[in-house]
Amino acid sequence: MINLDYLKNLNSAQKEAVIHTDGPLLIVAGAGSGKTRVLTSRIAHIIKEKKAFPNQILSVTFTNKAAKEMQNRVSKIIKNDATGLSWLGTFHSICAKLLRRHAAAVGLNSNFTIVDTDDQVRLIKNICKSENIDVKKLAPKAILTVIDRWKNKGYYPSEVIINKKDIYEKIILPLYKVYQKKLLDLNACDFGDLILHCVNILEKNSDISNIYTNNFKYILVDEYQDTNFIQSKWLNLLATKYKNICCVGDDDQSIYSWRGAEIKNFLDFDKIYKNTKIIRLEENYRSSQNILSVASNLIANNQKRVGKTLKTTLAEGDLVKLSCFRNGKDEAIGLSDEIEKNLRNKFSLNNITILVRAIFQTREFEERFLKIGLPYRIIGGIKFYERAEVKDCIAYLRLIYQNKDDLAFERIINNPKRSIGESTVKQIHEFSKKNSLGLESSSKKLIELNLIKPKAKIGLKSFLNFIEKWRTDLNIKKVNHVKLLQIVLDESGYSVMLKNKKDLKNENRLENIKELLSAMKEFDNLENFLEHVALATSIDQEWNGEKINLMTMHASKGLEFDVVFLPGWEEGLFPHQKSIEEKGENGLEEERRLAYVGITRAKKIAYISFAMNRFYQGDWIDSLASRFIEELPDKYVEKKTFYDEKDNQKNDFEFNQDFESDEGKRSPGWIRYQKRIK
């Protein structure tokens, strides 16, 4: 039985998107405009109007969560018929289903294995070993990142054209060839292969292609702005007959280019599919008008976009609050005080979030929340002092400070790799237990007795000598605790290990270590710092009840909150300098889209803030307010400076203040800015 009310609660644009069923359709769905409702209603309409049977509808999402939600919503409308939607799922799940049916076409058996990341890394390690490639200099995950990028572009090894500017691609291509052969030998494929193989099958086997092009009368795609080349090509191949392809998305929320997403797919949709109808969903059901006006004015500065203007029937609401702080620490204090004094009694903490550009930014907020007892959670990440690289650094410092810290010893004995395997560690443990000695003392005794295997002995002896040397640095030479960690990181090889692993995760790890060094400067000595860490990590991190949310802007996509804080809007941090350096204007536009995503997460109140100075990588640096702040419309923004001007009259700061010098007008952070652009 069909629920006939599914069209009643739709606005005119939503209704038009649902009932337009002939030819290609691009639905430009603004933030909070009800795109999921439109997609599910459209599926129901196609079935109700007998345009197609449920199994003739291909509906593709990016996540299992989105697929399940869509399935549930359709079920409420069309009841039992929803079970017939056998082709509703993620790109990978649908391609896996298709590939199992036609595995032989690409040299696989239907019972092939889909390898996970750990399996991939292990396979690459073995290949590197056989090809005499040092995994310390070229990390397996970095190799896999390049291979995945090639697969996203639709390239098998024989089709890759090496980028001559990339010194690694020349090394990686032969490994890619071996890797693909190994996968075939193992009757296996990785996630990239699922789509790549399906495209290959459809392109080279007309009989198979005809089965699916004839079957799929309607194709629906969610979050189309996040598709990569190979996903778009797969969809294009399946839509060749009926061309009833409907793609929903928001070009202003395309923020995943680093994962291979190509906004070009969205912007060129009407060029790929002739006679495309474009429908804009511009009515927002989430945010107040002032929040939408700020977001719309900001994103209007982007050139590469389809274009839309969000509006709402909700009240104008509060002006977006723009705040300037003296430094990053004051920013954390100011925002937490605002939560404690003005927001906590009005909103659930669960509905308050702080969105940062880079994960290391959470540290100052975590420190402050722990100090004043504000419960919090990290969404899509790990709390600062629980991050592996931070715990590694602290373990080194703990062992240097206290030679009986067996837990710290065990954590870092082979980190980075020193040829000290599990059997050697077990041997040390057994000797320790038998002789009632600590692990460090046991290690020294085993070396003295010549009971350790030669290779492991060299690594262990080197490690112990370094520990003694660093203790001398600390206790005899009185090396500052911050400098000590820098020495440890360099001499242990830990820094080199991270720097040699060229991927986003390791860049984040390096940023976290730099932030740790900044945190250490706030303490007089190593003892005080280690005590602080111990107390911070011992506090019950699983507070019952409500918690403030801390996450990156990337992790916030698809979520909404009553109150959103957006700190750290400074040049170099946001927009992020690396993004601009690597991608130029495209990178800047993606950063602006990220700002748009951040602002549009807010339903009722949005706070944007920046600091005049920030403690970064162990040094105080002048900050230049983000260029995005200049793009915020004054009409919808309330400006506030959070410091007492009487404290330092000479350094009074206004939002648009310039300083005079012999060379003309200079803004805060000018020297830093100049260094960056040269």
Side-chain angles (χ1 to χ4, degrees):
M1 182 177 173
I2 300 284
N3 181 353
L4 300 177
D5 295 333
Y6 67 95
L7 293 176
K8 285 185 178 179
N9 296 320
L10 302 179
N11 63 40
S12 57
Q14 289 175 330
K15 190 173 181 178
E16 185 183 8
V18 168
I19 64 177
H20 181 85
T21 54
D22 295 322
L25 174 64
L26 182 68
I27 303 174
V28 185
S33 62
K35 66 177 178 66
T36 304
R37 178 189 291 181
V38 168
L39 275 175
T40 50
S41 299
R42 184 175 167 85
I43 293 171
H45 183 74
I46 290 167
I47 296 170
K48 178 186 178 298
E49 294 298 315
K50 296 183 170 51
K51 299 281 186 179
F53 293 110
N55 69 348
Q56 293 176 315
I57 301 171
L58 171 65
S59 188
V60 192
T61 67
F62 271 88
T63 65
N64 289 317
K65 182 183 176 184
K68 191 174 180 180
E69 184 183 358
M70 198 175 294
Q71 183 84 44
N72 290 337
R73 288 200 189 191
V74 173
S75 294
K76 287 180 181 178
I77 302 174
I78 62 174
K79 307 300 181 187
N80 295 334
D81 290 336
T83 56
L85 291 168
S86 53
W87 295 99
L88 191 160
T90 65
F91 278 97
H92 289 125
S93 67
I94 291 171
C95 283
K97 183 177 178 178
L98 194 152
L99 187 56
R100 291 208 183 274
R101 292 184 177 185
H102 311 286
V106 287
L108 293 168
N109 297 324
S110 60
N111 64 340
F112 61 82
T113 302
I114 302 171
V115 297
D116 60 17
T117 303
D118 288 343
D119 292 330
Q120 288 179 277
V121 169
R122 193 156 54 248
L123 183 56
I124 287 291
K125 278 183 177 177
N126 292 336
I127 293 169
C128 287
K129 190 176 180 180
S130 65
E131 300 292 322
N132 294 316
I133 302 292
D134 189 350
V135 293
K136 291 179 181 177
K137 294 181 179 179
L138 187 56
K141 284 188 178 179
I143 295 169
L144 287 166
T145 298
V146 176
I147 290 174
D148 191 54
R149 186 172 73 233
W150 284 332
K151 290 186 178 184
N152 289 342
K153 294 283 186 185
Y155 300 146
Y156 283 104
S158 61
E159 298 164 323
V160 171
I161 299 171
I162 292 173
N163 179 2
K164 292 178 181 179
K165 293 181 181 178
D166 193 324
I167 59 172
Y168 294 106
E169 285 195 1
K170 191 176 179 181
I171 303 169
I172 295 172
L173 182 55
L175 303 178
Y176 181 21
K177 291 176 181 175
V178 178
Y179 174 74
Q180 281 304 103
K181 186 176 184 308
K182 288 280 186 185
L183 285 175
L184 279 175
D185 291 344
L186 293 167
N187 191 38
C189 65
D190 60 23
F191 281 99
D193 285 331
L194 291 174
I195 303 177
L196 184 63
H197 286 332
C198 281
V199 166
N200 184 16
I201 291 168
L202 293 173
E203 283 189 318
K204 295 183 178 178
N205 301 273
S206 58
D207 54 335
I208 298 173
S209 178
N210 289 336
I211 294 171
Y212 297 97
T213 56
N214 286 324
N215 182 71
F216 294 137
K217 289 186 175 181
Y218 287 91
I219 298 173
L220 295 89
V221 189
D222 192 16
E223 303 286 5
Y224 187 65
Q225 79 281 345
D226 293 335
T227 56
N228 57 37
F229 173 84
I230 198 69
Q231 289 165 339
S232 178
K233 189 173 182 178
W234 176 69
L235 292 166
N236 187 247
L237 288 168
L238 292 173
T240 53
K241 182 174 181 178
Y242 294 106
K243 296 186 171 47
N244 291 326
I245 180 168
C246 168
C247 292
V248 184
D250 185 1
D251 51 320
D252 291 335
Q253 295 188 67
S254 178
I255 58 175
Y256 296 126
S257 67
W258 49 277
R259 283 195 328 209
E262 295 192 10
I263 192 173
K264 188 172 181 286
N265 294 339
F266 195 96
L267 299 177
D268 292 348
F269 185 88
D270 58 343
K271 295 175 185 169
I272 299 167
Y273 300 98
K274 303 300 180 185
N275 302 315
T276 290
K277 186 174 180 64
I278 299 175
I279 297 174
R280 290 170 171 81
L281 305 184
E282 296 178 309
E283 189 164 340
N284 177 285
Y285 295 92
R286 175 189 300 154
S287 307
S288 66
Q289 187 58 57
N290 283 329
I291 290 171
L292 293 182
S293 296
V294 168
S296 295
N297 274 267
L298 178 67
I299 200 63
N301 289 279
N302 273 8
Q303 299 300 310
K304 295 178 181 177
R305 59 191 295 259
V306 175
K308 64 184 174 303
T309 302
L310 291 181
K311 55 185 183 295
T312 182
T313 55
L314 302 175
E316 284 190 356
D318 290 5
L319 295 172
V320 171
K321 294 168 176 57
L322 175 61
S323 306
C324 168
F325 293 90
R326 188 74 70 186
N327 53 55
K329 189 175 182 180
D330 283 356
E331 184 179 46
I333 292 170
L335 300 189
S336 59
D337 285 353
E338 180 73 4
I339 295 169
E340 191 76 356
K341 294 174 183 176
N342 299 322
L343 298 173
R344 198 171 184 178
N345 60 341
K346 298 177 184 176
F347 301 99
S348 161
L349 290 183
N350 292 333
N351 257 313
I352 300 173
T353 192
I354 295 175
L355 304 182
V356 297
R357 174 60 181 86
I359 194 65
F360 76 85
Q361 290 174 261
T362 67
R363 198 271 305 175
E364 285 184 316
F365 291 100
E366 291 187 61
E367 297 269 20
R368 180 63 183 170
F369 292 162
L370 288 167
K371 187 173 182 178
I372 65 175
L374 266 176
Y376 71 94
R377 66 172 69 86
I378 302 287
I379 305 292
I382 303 167
K383 292 177 178 179
F384 184 79
Y385 287 115
E386 294 174 8
R387 292 168 195 168
E389 60 281 1
V390 173
K391 291 181 78 169
D392 290 343
C393 291
I394 291 167
Y396 271 106
L397 294 172
R398 280 170 46 187
L399 185 60
I400 294 165
Y401 183 71
Q402 209 269 90
N403 68 349
K404 293 182 179 179
D405 194 331
D406 284 357
L407 292 174
F409 183 93
E410 189 172 18
R411 182 176 184 92
I412 59 171
I413 185 174
N414 200 40
N415 189 11
K417 302 291 184 187
R418 301 184 176 92
S419 301
I420 305 168
E422 289 181 11
S423 61
T424 302
V425 174
K426 186 180 177 183
Q427 186 183 1
I428 296 168
H429 269 286
E430 288 173 350
F431 191 91
S432 168
K433 188 178 180 181
K434 187 177 179 181
N435 296 279
S436 301
L437 294 170
L439 296 183
E440 185 177 340
S441 298
S442 296
S443 299
K444 290 175 179 176
K445 197 69 180 172
L446 285 165
I447 289 172
E448 190 183 310
L449 297 169
N450 202 29
L451 296 174
I452 302 287
K453 292 178 182 177
K455 196 173 180 180
K457 182 181 177 181
I458 295 168
L460 185 57
K461 197 170 181 179
S462 172
F463 171 64
L464 293 169
N465 287 341
F466 269 129
I467 296 293
E468 289 298 334
K469 186 264 181 188
W470 297 327
R471 283 180 185 143
T472 301
D473 288 341
L474 177 68
N475 300 318
I476 308 299
K477 295 182 180 179
K478 304 296 179 184
V479 172
N480 173 278
H481 57 296
V482 180
K483 180 65 178 173
L484 178 66
L485 179 56
Q486 291 172 324
I487 292 169
V488 169
L489 290 167
D490 289 340
E491 293 182 350
S492 67
Y494 198 97
S495 292
V496 173
M497 174 185 75
L498 290 185
K499 287 174 182 175
N500 283 338
K501 295 179 179 178
K502 304 289 184 181
D503 59 40
L504 186 62
K505 285 184 179 178
N506 276 293
E507 287 174 14
N508 288 336
R509 290 182 182 115
L510 285 167
E511 289 288 352
N512 286 330
I513 289 174
K514 290 168 184 174
E515 184 62 19
L516 177 64
L517 290 164
S518 296
M520 291 173 67
K521 278 204 170 184
E522 297 177 17
F523 298 86
D524 294 331
N525 53 53
L526 180 59
E527 182 181 8
N528 289 346
F529 172 68
L530 290 175
E531 184 177 314
H532 166 76
V533 172
L535 291 171
T537 53
S538 68
I539 292 175
D540 183 14
Q541 298 293 303
E542 296 303 319
W543 285 292
N544 291 323
E546 299 175 356
K547 300 173 188 174
I548 296 167
N549 304 286
L550 271 168
M551 71 188 84
T552 64
M553 284 185 248
H554 282 101
S556 74
K557 191 168 174 289
L559 304 176
E560 58 182 42
F561 305 90
D562 286 338
V563 182
V564 171
F565 289 90
L566 297 153
W569 280 41
E570 299 135 32
E571 284 293 312
L573 183 55
F574 190 52
H576 202 282
Q577 193 55 33
K578 187 172 181 286
S579 184
I580 296 173
E581 286 175 352
E582 290 184 354
K583 302 171 193 170
E585 191 64 29
N586 289 337
L588 178 61
E589 291 211 349
E590 182 159 338
E591 290 288 296
R592 191 176 283 111
R593 292 195 293 270
L594 190 57
Y596 173 85
V597 167
I599 295 169
T600 54
R601 298 312 92 195
K603 294 164 70 177
K604 296 177 180 177
I605 306 176
Y607 294 80
I608 296 170
S609 60
F610 65 99
M612 293 168 59
N613 302 278
R614 195 167 290 276
F615 201 59
Y616 184 64
Q617 299 186 17
D619 293 304
W620 282 104
I621 55 173
D622 292 331
S623 297
L624 187 70
S626 170
R627 69 191 75 186
F628 297 155
I629 286 174
E630 301 249 341
E631 298 171 0
L632 302 177
D634 289 340
K635 184 180 176 182
Y636 309 108
V637 173
E638 176 188 345
K639 296 177 180 178
K640 188 174 181 180
T641 304
F642 277 88
Y643 61 83
D644 188 354
E645 280 97 348
K646 295 177 183 178
D647 290 345
N648 193 342
Q649 294 281 341
K650 292 181 181 178
N651 290 323
D652 281 355
F653 180 86
E654 297 175 5
F655 285 92
N656 297 310
Q657 181 179 350
D658 290 324
F659 298 133
E660 295 284 351
S661 75
D662 293 338
E663 298 177 350
K665 288 185 176 181
R666 297 292 181 260
S667 302
W670 180 260
I671 295 172
R672 177 184 167 211
Y673 181 64
Q674 286 299 304
K675 285 180 179 176
R676 191 164 61 242
I677 64 176
K678 283 180 180 176

